[in-house]
Amino acid sequence: MTQKKSTKIEKASRTGFCFGVRQAIDLLEKVARERGGIETLGAVVHNQQVLQKLAEIGVKVVDNIDDIKGDAVVTSSHGVSPDLEASIRARHYEVISTTCPNVQRAQAAAEKLADSGFFVIVYGDRDHPEVKGILGWVKGKGLATTEEAVVAALDPLPRRLGILSQTTQVPAHFAGFVKKIIDLALTKNSEIHIIDTICHDLRERQAATLELAHRADLMLVVGGRSSANTNRIAELCSRITETHLIETAADIKSDWLKDKKHIGVTSGASTAEDTVDEVITRLEKMTRP
Ligand code: F3S
């Protein structure tokens, strides 16, 4: 009789909260405890498990300014536009910001480019709160897209273009986009100013995850289905090996584990380390020979 070999389960070297999410949650927990509860404008992070835990200490998500009941509101790690912040203050609510310092840098870069006369292109998902926030800093002098065709359709094409990225985009994809814009727009007397605003923490996580994906025959990416960076990591891994995005250990399907020798586990930047560890524990149980 042949002995069934045990499956190797390996956690990526960088999982759990990134420093920006850690900082946002620490501040939010402190404020909620001191005040006996607090409201946040939109989800402070895109992760249901984290939001449930925060709800237990009195953190309530409101979808728009009209729904704020208290005298203060917390804005998310993704940041907000200056107009939105001004309209909250105009109603005399205190604004407690948990905007990640990397997002603040992207906002400042966008504002500086617009103030210097550049038309600003934000490489990113135009419906994402971070991108909407960054775009708010250019005061109408820019757009957000991941499609070069959207820029090509500008008539006239602005002579001075500033390009930066949503912090969670894939560096190689941003570089590819920039090359296309250079081909398209660099003509006589034109000027293109590129600023790298991609998050370095995320860059390192992606590199560590992809290195693991090359060695594994299955990757599980733990994180919120609405989390941009979690989806991006899952998409990158799926180009290398079989990959599934799961929110919790309960989502693991035994079919996926059949004949697998090496399972890699990684997470999005807004996933708690506890959730990743619960996935590892369940995997160990499910793959025990
Ligand atoms: Fe900030 Fe990067 Fe995290 S931009 S919120 S440290 S993924």
Side-chain angles (χ1 to χ4, degrees), residues 116-166:
S116 311
F118 289 88
F119 183 83
V120 180
I121 298 164
V122 182
Y123 177 72
D125 169 6
R126 66 195 174 116
D127 294 323
H128 191 279
E130 179 200 322
V131 175
K132 286 183 181 170
I134 293 172
L135 211 49
W137 290 82
V138 309
K139 302 166 200 93
K141 289 179 267 175
L143 57 79
T145 186
T146 54
E147 307 289 330
E148 156 232 2
V150 172
V151 182
L154 291 172
D155 187 17
L157 189 63
R159 202 181 57 74
R160 301 180 82 208
L161 289 176
I163 313 175
L164 52 86
S165 173
Q166 180 179 4

Side-chain angles (χ1 to χ4, degrees), residues 58-122:
V59 176
K60 190 167 175 284
V61 180
V62 295
D63 290 328
N64 63 63
I65 311 175
D66 296 333
D67 298 332
I68 300 171
K69 302 270 186 313
D71 52 10
V73 70
V74 174
T75 55
S76 92
S77 54
H78 300 119
V80 292
S81 68
D83 285 355
L84 180 57
E85 186 164 335
S87 50
I88 302 171
R89 289 192 194 281
R91 297 188 187 200
H92 306 292
Y93 296 123
E94 181 188 352
V95 178
I96 303 166
S97 167
T98 65
T99 309
C100 171
N102 287 339
V103 176
Q104 283 175 3
R105 270 196 286 279
Q107 292 174 340
E111 184 181 32
K112 197 170 165 199
L113 283 170
D115 287 349
S116 311
F118 289 88
F119 183 83
V120 180
I121 298 164
V122 182

Side-chain angles (χ1 to χ4, degrees), residues 35-254:
R35 301 178 183 222
I38 188 77
E39 289 161 302
T40 69
L41 188 59
V44 79
V45 292
H46 290 158
N47 185 289
Q48 279 310 316
Q49 288 66 43
V50 173
L51 294 176
Q52 272 161 21
K53 283 202 167 162
L54 289 170
E56 286 163 19
I57 58 165
V59 176
K60 190 167 175 284
V61 180
V62 295
D63 290 328
N64 63 63
I65 311 175
D66 296 333
D67 298 332
I68 300 171
K69 302 270 186 313
D71 52 10
V73 70
V74 174
T75 55
S76 92
S77 54
H78 300 119
V80 292
S81 68
D83 285 355
L84 180 57
E85 186 164 335
S87 50
I88 302 171
R89 289 192 194 281
R91 297 188 187 200
H92 306 292
Y93 296 123
E94 181 188 352
V95 178
I96 303 166
S97 167
T98 65
T99 309
C100 171
N102 287 339
V103 176
Q104 283 175 3
R105 270 196 286 279
Q107 292 174 340
E111 184 181 32
K112 197 170 165 199
L113 283 170
D115 287 349
S116 311
F118 289 88
F119 183 83
V120 180
I121 298 164
V122 182
Y123 177 72
D125 169 6
R126 66 195 174 116
D127 294 323
H128 191 279
E130 179 200 322
V131 175
K132 286 183 181 170
I134 293 172
L135 211 49
W137 290 82
V138 309
K139 302 166 200 93
K141 289 179 267 175
L143 57 79
T145 186
T146 54
E147 307 289 330
E148 156 232 2
V150 172
V151 182
L154 291 172
D155 187 17
L157 189 63
R159 202 181 57 74
R160 301 180 82 208
L161 289 176
I163 313 175
L164 52 86
S165 173
Q166 180 179 4
T167 57
T168 52
Q169 290 290 332
V170 177
H173 297 181
F174 178 53
F177 175 80
V178 167
K179 280 187 198 125
K180 286 180 190 160
I181 301 300
I182 290 172
D183 287 345
L184 175 82
L186 201 62
T187 56
K188 192 172 176 235
N189 293 330
S190 63
E191 191 179 350
I192 299 180
H193 192 139
I194 303 149
I195 302 182
D196 178 6
T197 50
I198 292 178
C199 168
H200 280 267
D201 192 284
L202 214 59
R203 209 186 278 252
E204 286 173 13
R205 280 163 175 264
Q206 282 176 358
T209 291
L210 296 184
E211 187 276 324
L212 174 56
H214 277 289
R215 292 184 286 111
D217 49 12
L218 173 69
M219 284 297 290
L220 297 184
V221 181
V222 191
R225 291 188 199 287
S226 59
S227 155
N229 77 80
T230 306
N231 278 289
R232 218 151 273 136
I233 288 175
E235 193 237 310
L236 289 174
C237 288
S238 69
R239 295 181 189 187
I240 300 168
T241 191
E242 181 183 335
T243 300
H244 300 280
L245 192 162
I246 56 171
E247 294 206 331
T248 67
D251 295 342
I252 305 170
K253 304 261 185 306
S254 51

